[in-house]
Amino acid sequence: GAVVSQHPSWVICKSGTSVKIECRSLDFQATTMFWYRQFPKQSLMLMATSNEGSKATYEQGVEKDKFLINHASLTLSTLTVTSAHPEDSSFYICSASLLVTDTQYFGPGTRLTVL
Amino acid sequence: AQSVTQLDSQVPVFEEAPVELRCNYSSSVSVYLFWYVQYPNQGLQLLLKYLSGSTLVKGINGFEAEFNKSQTSFHLRKPSVHISDTAEYFCAVILMGSTGANNLFFGTGTRLTVIP
């Protein structure tokens, strides 16, 4: 099956710093990538959808200036949490889908802890 | 509006016993349906999906689910669970014709705990 990786898997940072999370599709070209956020014991909440070469579409309530998404190639999307604060601590998960299928393949997630 | 409902937040079951995890959805349009499993500290893994065709769908690890359009349900079943099945299970739907491309709407999850 299709494989999606995320890096780093775990990051701890100080409040006010920025953190970049990478999402890569390893064996397929992903036209569309998705970024989710998952709070403890809760479901995944879609943050934004990104298509290669175009601006990301953010869900309502998600600050686009705080969560910068770049989808520069068909195998790489990045999420940058700018000026992170403790309330941004969460599990961030990306997924990628092929152009003509409806299955999203998920990365293993990145746990962000902001001190 | 809540598109996906997982009524049971936690389901404990003894090893080798059968299990059913319930999922209901609400939609006025056709849907694609999915079950994902999340093991501790890991990302989501696709168990199975229903896009069209036979309403009984078989997935990995011995799981299966049946799409029931009249009851708007997509319950997940396994005839005999193993300790390694302990995980969080998420039901999800894609609403056909929605403006967002392939946007998955997730249920709140069901934690399956298999008791030795």
Side-chain angles (χ1 to χ4, degrees):
Chain A
V3 179
V4 176
S5 70
Q6 281 184 243
H7 178 79
S9 58
W10 200 326
V11 58
I12 301 174
C13 68
K14 292 182 179 179
S15 183
T17 61
S18 295
V19 175
K20 179 185 284 188
I21 303 170
E22 293 186 348
C23 176
R24 293 181 184 273
S25 56
L26 298 184
D27 51 0
F28 67 101
Q29 293 185 326
T31 304
T32 306
M33 286 187 169
F34 304 82
W35 286 96
Y36 294 86
R37 184 172 179 177
Q38 184 180 29
F39 292 101
K41 300 185 186 300
Q42 294 188 28
S43 187
L44 282 73
M45 299 299 295
L46 180 65
M47 298 175 66
T49 303
S50 74
N51 291 296
E52 185 266 337
S54 60
K55 289 183 179 180
T57 301
Y58 289 80
E59 294 298 302
Q60 191 173 8
V62 178
E63 301 175 59
K64 62 178 67 176
D65 294 330
K66 182 169 185 62
F67 298 100
L68 301 178
I69 293 173
N70 186 302
H71 193 165
S73 76
L74 286 171
T75 59
L76 174 64
S77 176
T78 61
L79 167 67
T80 301
V81 183
T82 62
S83 186
H85 291 284
E87 58 265 29
D88 298 324
S89 298
S90 191
F91 197 50
Y92 292 88
I93 303 173
C94 75
S95 71
S97 68
L98 300 170
L99 178 62
V100 296
T101 72
D102 299 293
T103 299
Q104 290 181 30
Y105 298 94
F106 285 81
T110 297
R111 184 162 299 284
L112 170 64
T113 300
V114 184
L115 302 178
Chain B
Q2 183 68 39
S3 298
V4 184
T5 303
Q6 291 181 247
L7 291 171
D8 306 304
S9 60
Q10 296 187 56
V11 173
V13 63
F14 286 105
E15 190 176 15
E16 298 184 1
V19 69
E20 177 180 85
L21 305 183
R22 297 182 291 172
C23 173
N24 289 88
Y25 67 92
S26 59
S27 174
S28 58
V29 299
S30 297
V31 297
Y32 291 165
L33 295 155
F34 304 79
W35 274 100
Y36 285 88
V37 59
Q38 185 179 31
Y39 297 103
N41 298 313
Q42 295 187 29
L44 274 72
Q45 180 180 357
L46 180 67
L47 269 179
L48 48 78
K49 62 183 177 182
Y50 171 80
L51 304 182
S52 65
S54 173
T55 56
L56 182 62
V57 181
K58 294 189 182 297
I60 62 172
N61 300 340
F63 284 93
E64 64 179 32
E66 185 160 19
F67 171 52
N68 188 318
K69 188 175 182 179
S70 62
Q71 296 185 4
T72 61
S73 68
F74 191 55
H75 300 333
L76 180 70
R77 303 184 183 97
K78 185 170 182 177
S80 176
V81 295
H82 191 267
I83 295 291
S84 59
D85 293 324
T86 295
E88 191 85 18
Y89 291 81
F90 292 97
C91 180
V93 302
I94 290 177
L95 305 179
M96 299 302 295
S98 61
T99 54
N102 293 2
N103 280 11
L104 273 172
F105 294 93
F106 284 87
T108 50
T110 298
R111 173 159 295 280
L112 172 64
T113 301
V114 180
I115 304 165

